[in-house]
Structures are given as C-alpha cells and as structure tokens.
Amino acid sequence: MDDEVERRQIQQILELDGEELQVEEVDSLLESSDDDPDATGEASTDDFTFNTQLTSLHSYLGEVNDTHHRSAFWEGGTIVNLPLYHIEGVVLFPEATLPLRVIEPNFVAVVNRAMTQVNAPYTMGVVRVYRDPLDGPIRLAKVGTTAEIRQYRPVEDGSINVVTRGQQRFRLRRCWIDAEGAPFGEVQIIEEDVPFRTPRDACAELVPLSNLRSQHMSSLNALSHGGRNDENDSEANSEESFENELSQRERRIHQSAIGAGYESDRTDESTSSGADSKLSESDSESGSPCPNDLTSIDLSPSGHKKQVRNADMGIATKSMARKVAGPRSHLSSTVSRAFWPIWVYRMYDSFCLAQKAADMWKQVVGAPSMDGFVNKPDLLSFYIASKIPVSDPTRQELLEIDGISYRLRREIELLERLDCVRCKICKTVIARRSDMLVMSADGPLGAYVNSYGYVHEVMTFREAKGLALRSRPHEEYSWFPGYAWTIINCTTCETQMGWLFTATNEKLKPKSFWGIRSCSVTHEMR
C-alpha cells in the first residue's frame, strides 16, 4: 500500500515538472530596454532557464585535476621572486578566478616553475600588459596579483590547461627572463588595511568643531526650561547608535576627542582677557612657526582672525590636529576643540560604504545577492572591482588603490555614474547599463580563455547595437554550455567587439545574448 502511494506521488511530481517545461517561449530577449533605466541584469524566472553555475566551472577546458595544494601567504612588505604571467586586457583581483590555456613555451615554463618552486609553491604573479598610446611599446602594470594554481592538466600537444585564483596584490619592483626563458619578477606584497568603522587616517586628524559646546548648552537649556528639542534628541540617538557600532578601541578614541572638546570649552571660560597678549609674547619669544606647518599662525590681527574663523567653520588641518593630540599648551584658548560629526566618520566607514556599494550593485546588476559580503568590506571591494563592467584601464586603477574605504568610494562613484559602454576606437554606443545580463554565478563580467590561449574578460548584455555578425555560429569550445558563438564587429570601425551567443536548445532561455570584450570598450559616465 505504501509503495502504491509513493508511486503516485512520484508520478505527480513528474507531471508538474512536465508542466513547467511547457512555458511559452519568448521570440527574442533583445527588445529595447532604454525606456527602463532602472532595469537590472536579473531576468525573470519565466525568461531564464540557464544554469549560471555551469559557466563558472569552465568545463570547456576539459577535465582538470585539482592540485590539492594552497599557495603560501606572505606578510605585507615581503619581497619575493615569482614567475610572471603577462596578460593583455585582463586585470586579476584577489579572490577572482582566471582560466588559462598555456601554449607559448615561455609561459609553459612559467607554469612549470610555479608548480615546482619551493619558496612559493603553486604560485605565480599575474600582471596586465598594455601598449602605451603615445610611443607604442608594450609596458607592464606596476601592480599585479599573485595567482594560486588550483587546477592543472597537461595536454598532449604540450600546452597546459590551468585554473587559477587571485590571492594577494603586489608591486612589481623589477623583472627579467631566466635561463629557461620564463619571465620572472621581484615583487613586494602589498599590506592590506583592516576595515575599520573609524579609519586610522581620520582618527589621526580628530579636530573639534566649535559648535559642540553651543549644541550641548542649547540642549541643557531646553531641558532646564522643560522644553523639548527634537533635533538634539535625534542627534543624541544618532550619536549613541554610532558609538554602539564602534569597537572598544575606537570608542575610546572617539570619547577622548569629545572630552578634549569639553575641556577646551571650560578652559576658554576661565581664561582671562589678557591671555591673547601673553600668547603673542610667547610666540614672539619662541620664534616663527615650523616651516613645514602648512597652517603656520600669522600673529597679525588679520591672521589671527582667519585662524579663528577657520576653527569656527570646522576646517581641520594637520597642524591643528597635532596641537590637539600633543600636550596641552597656551594655544588651547584660541583653537576650539571638538570631534568630527557622524557623517564625516561614515564617509570613510568601511562597513557603511560596503552596505551602500552592495545595495547599488544589487540595483544595477540584480544578481547575485551581496548580503554575504556586507560584513567583509575588503572582499566586497575586490569582488565589485573584478566584476564591474568598465574598461580594463579603469579596473587596473581600482587594483592600484590602497585602502578599502577609498576603493569602495571609487566603485560607488562608478556605479552611480555608469551609463553606457562605447567602442574604444570610434566611441559608438554599444550597450547601456540597463541591458546587463548575468550569465555566470560570478557576475556580469568574467574571464574566459579560447582554444588559442587568448584570455578575454567578457561582460554580458541582453541587448546591444551597432554590431555586425562576422562568422557563422560555432558550438565547439563554448564558454556558455548550450550556446553557439558568433564573432561580432563594430559596424562603424569594424573592430572585433566580442560574440553573439545563441541557444542551441529550444528550451534554453535566454535564446540569445551578447558578450562584449572589456578591452574593446570604453565606458561613459552620466
């Protein structure tokens, strides 16, 4: 009896599966979306049946063996010699995947040396190469990324199929060719900063605003008169919420700055009117201010008024910060002290910036979800940098930025202003931001290698224009299983822009999409 019930349940499930497959097919997904600027790359369930996980497996490389090894991790500042793999038009970031089909003998030697070296096992350096637009020679980028070889398979023709993963950024100090013809480089590992809610650079310049005491006194006056100041209550709640998010060390720094502001205010009240003349005499005896002090104090009346006016406006300088951080002196009576307001902290708060960047990425791209990265701003900054659909020079710029907060701020700026991509040669508009389509679990942009060993960073769009087909469709060695590829050129300048991918299975959706090479485009900002 139980077997009969189970058989019927299985039959019902099979019938439901059959009904899902009988969804009416859409003739084309390449309809214009220009009228919908808020559209994202996330397709609806009815219009999308492709398994994006298949793309990230790089199955077109064939069977590859896991190395079951992990590369060495070096401390920041460490100098090490590594075999170098040069790639044109590709920027590798930490945690990003880079597939390679190594054919050239010198790069085969690079991979073999990386597999066998003792001091840096299964590790090589990956550096972007580019042609200088002015004088033409090939140049190496100054910053690259160490790559861990995770999968490896020699091929009968002498080539090697490899899947690598980015690990650590480095600065290239010098390079040479070894006796076997393999490029080598002396690199220095870049020390990555730790994501802080209050960045160290901001803490070093904690300088108070003169309105702290006035806000505090107005709040006390409101309470003493039985009144209610909603604005001050809101600020107090916001300040309390801000302090709750700080670590114990950051909270001590923050509160010490507040205490310095109140101490300065009390000193100002008890200082006699003759303090200014004593200050002038003392400064005259001690000589002129330090020439390195960019805000040296002018003892003339106009100079004194200018300094006080800057302090009242909350303009902080490094020299003022040194006076706050150093021992208490007679300058306390003239320089007002307080702490930076909350919005200043949040401008460089790694976690606040990570949340904003994740929200914008979800809005622009649609998928995949970024919730897992919000509490890891360092990984998020590298993830967005490796997937954002901009030209490779701009992505190299993101790789060279030191500091999590600064990298996230630049990425937010790009996401806010990114409007469309154009042909790098003739500047013809190829696609718009709203046309992006996610065809890989890694995001809307990924690195793929063809059968000739050329690596391409490809951004995918549901719609593109200004392009012409140059070949017939090919199914072999397709980066997207179930899709045939056709080479496409810019109709204006005939530059190769990428490929049109068309489904070979009638049940596969989308039925077609465009893959545009990042090295062939330039982006336009709004």
Side-chain angles (χ1 to χ4, degrees):
M1 184 65 179
D2 293 338
D3 293 340
E4 180 65 22
V5 173
E6 183 177 356
R7 187 186 64 79
R8 290 181 180 178
Q9 290 176 345
I10 293 175
Q11 183 64 28
Q12 291 175 354
I13 293 174
L14 293 176
E15 291 177 357
L16 289 175
D17 290 342
E19 291 179 2
E20 290 183 0
L21 294 176
Q22 294 174 7
V23 179
E24 182 179 356
E25 295 184 10
V26 179
D27 291 337
S28 175
L29 285 178
L30 304 182
E31 298 178 358
S32 175
S33 58
D34 293 347
D35 298 334
D36 185 13
D38 296 328
T40 67
E42 185 176 15
S44 64
T45 304
D46 293 340
D47 294 337
F48 203 97
T49 61
F50 178 70
N51 183 0
T52 58
Q53 296 291 340
L54 297 176
T55 307
S56 58
L57 296 177
H58 300 282
S59 57
Y60 54 88
L61 289 175
E63 293 185 4
V64 288
N65 301 319
D66 292 334
T67 59
H68 298 294
H69 289 273
R70 291 296 176 262
S71 61
F73 185 88
W74 294 282
E75 296 292 334
T78 302
I79 297 177
V80 62
N81 294 337
L82 292 177
L84 291 183
Y85 200 101
H86 310 156
I87 306 182
E88 185 175 2
V90 175
V91 182
L92 178 65
F93 285 84
E95 302 300 322
T97 300
L98 176 64
L100 299 172
R101 178 169 171 77
V102 187
I103 298 177
E104 298 182 24
N106 58 334
F107 289 127
V108 171
V110 166
V111 174
N112 289 331
R113 290 292 299 272
M115 295 287 290
T116 58
Q117 61 188 349
V118 178
N119 63 330
Y122 296 90
T123 303
M124 61 184 180
V126 175
V127 181
R128 170 180 171 259
V129 297
Y130 62 96
R131 188 175 297 277
D132 193 306
L134 298 179
D135 51 21
I138 296 293
R139 297 182 180 273
L140 296 178
K142 297 179 180 179
V143 176
T145 305
T146 63
E148 169 196 352
I149 298 176
R150 293 199 167 186
Q151 294 176 309
Y152 170 94
R153 184 175 74 92
V155 185
E156 295 179 355
D157 60 3
S159 63
I160 304 175
N161 290 342
V162 177
V163 178
T164 67
R165 189 174 183 84
Q167 293 295 320
Q168 293 178 276
R169 295 189 305 146
F170 63 77
R171 288 188 174 87
L172 182 62
R173 295 164 58 93
R174 63 188 182 94
C175 56
W176 66 92
I177 304 296
D178 76 346
E180 298 179 4
F184 258 78
E186 181 184 76
V187 305
Q188 183 174 27
I189 302 300
I190 297 176
E191 182 177 3
E192 304 292 354
D193 62 340
V194 179
F196 284 111
R197 294 195 181 277
T198 305
R200 287 171 290 183
D201 289 346
C203 290
E205 300 184 14
L206 285 174
V207 180
L209 300 176
S210 60
N211 62 355
L212 174 65
R213 178 174 176 272
S214 61
Q215 292 179 355
H216 177 67
M217 294 303 296
S218 62
S219 177
L220 292 177
N221 291 336
L223 292 174
S224 62
H225 289 83
R228 180 178 180 181
N229 191 325
D230 294 337
E231 182 178 354
N232 289 335
D233 289 345
S234 175
E235 290 184 2
N237 293 335
S238 180
E239 173 65 18
E240 181 180 359
S241 174
F242 170 71
E243 289 193 2
N244 289 337
E245 296 178 356
L246 299 178
S247 67
Q248 186 175 1
R249 173 180 174 274
E250 295 164 353
R251 190 179 295 112
R252 286 199 302 270
I253 296 175
H254 181 71
Q255 292 177 348
S256 65
I258 299 176
Y262 286 125
E263 182 182 355
S264 174
D265 290 333
R266 290 195 298 268
T267 303
D268 290 344
E269 293 176 354
S270 60
T271 302
S272 62
S273 59
D276 291 341
S277 60
K278 293 181 181 179
L279 172 62
S280 178
E281 293 175 2
S282 176
D283 285 341
S284 300
E285 294 174 359
S286 61
S288 60
C290 175
N292 293 331
D293 189 348
L294 299 180
T295 56
S296 56
I297 301 174
D298 186 352
L299 296 181
S300 64
S302 60
H304 176 73
K305 290 179 181 178
K306 181 179 180 181
Q307 181 189 356
V308 174
R309 182 166 61 253
N310 288 347
D312 291 339
M313 294 174 64
I315 300 177
T317 61
K318 293 184 177 180
S319 62
M320 294 168 68
R322 287 195 294 269
K323 295 180 179 66
V324 173
R328 190 162 185 81
S329 68
H330 52 261
L331 292 178
S332 301
S333 60
T334 58
V335 180
S336 177
R337 302 175 186 230
F339 60 101
W340 287 112
I342 296 174
W343 61 268
V344 176
Y345 287 115
R346 296 194 181 278
M347 285 177 61
Y348 293 92
D349 184 312
S350 300
F351 294 89
C352 291
L353 292 172
Q355 183 63 63
K356 183 176 181 180
D359 292 342
M360 293 192 64
W361 185 258
K362 179 67 175 178
Q363 178 184 359
V364 172
V365 179
S369 174
M370 306 299 295
D371 295 340
F373 284 104
V374 172
N375 293 326
K376 301 176 181 178
D378 49 344
L379 298 183
L380 176 65
S381 69
F382 287 132
Y383 178 88
I384 293 180
S386 66
K387 304 302 177 186
I388 189 170
V390 294
S391 60
D392 52 292
T394 301
R395 289 157 36 88
Q396 179 67 37
E397 171 199 340
L398 293 174
L399 180 67
E400 296 180 3
I401 294 177
D402 293 330
I404 300 170
S405 298
Y406 301 109
R407 190 179 304 112
L408 284 171
R409 284 172 61 85
R410 176 59 173 152
E411 290 165 355
I412 290 173
E413 178 187 9
L414 291 173
L415 289 173
E416 287 177 339
R417 300 177 55 198
L418 181 63
D419 185 28
C420 61
V421 295
R422 296 175 177 268
C423 172
K424 184 168 65 175
I425 304 301
C426 64
K427 303 301 184 293
T428 299
V429 174
I430 302 300
R432 299 190 178 278
R433 185 185 79 171
S434 56
D435 300 326
M436 284 191 300
L437 181 67
V438 177
M439 292 297 294
S440 170
D442 293 331
L445 184 146
Y448 308 94
V449 59
N450 65 14
S451 59
Y452 299 101
Y454 292 100
V455 180
H456 301 280
E457 285 188 324
V458 178
M459 53 186 77
T460 50
F461 295 88
R462 65 164 55 88
E463 179 189 2
K465 55 187 177 181
L467 301 172
L469 303 181
R470 203 190 76 176
S471 67
R472 62 180 181 83
H474 299 271
E475 296 185 26
E476 62 276 8
Y477 218 83
S478 177
W479 300 328
F480 302 91
Y483 286 87
W485 52 271
T486 304
I487 298 175
I488 55 176
N489 284 359
C490 174
T491 55
T492 303
C493 64
E494 297 187 353
T495 300
Q496 182 185 351
M497 299 302 298
W499 303 265
L500 171 66
F501 292 90
T502 53
T504 58
N505 186 335
E506 62 179 9
K507 297 185 181 300
L508 196 60
K509 297 180 182 182
K511 297 186 68 175
S512 60
F513 64 93
W514 305 84
I516 308 298
R517 300 192 306 164
S518 64
C519 64
S520 299
V521 301
T522 182
H523 55 273
E524 179 180 288
M525 297 299 180
R526 287 183 290 191

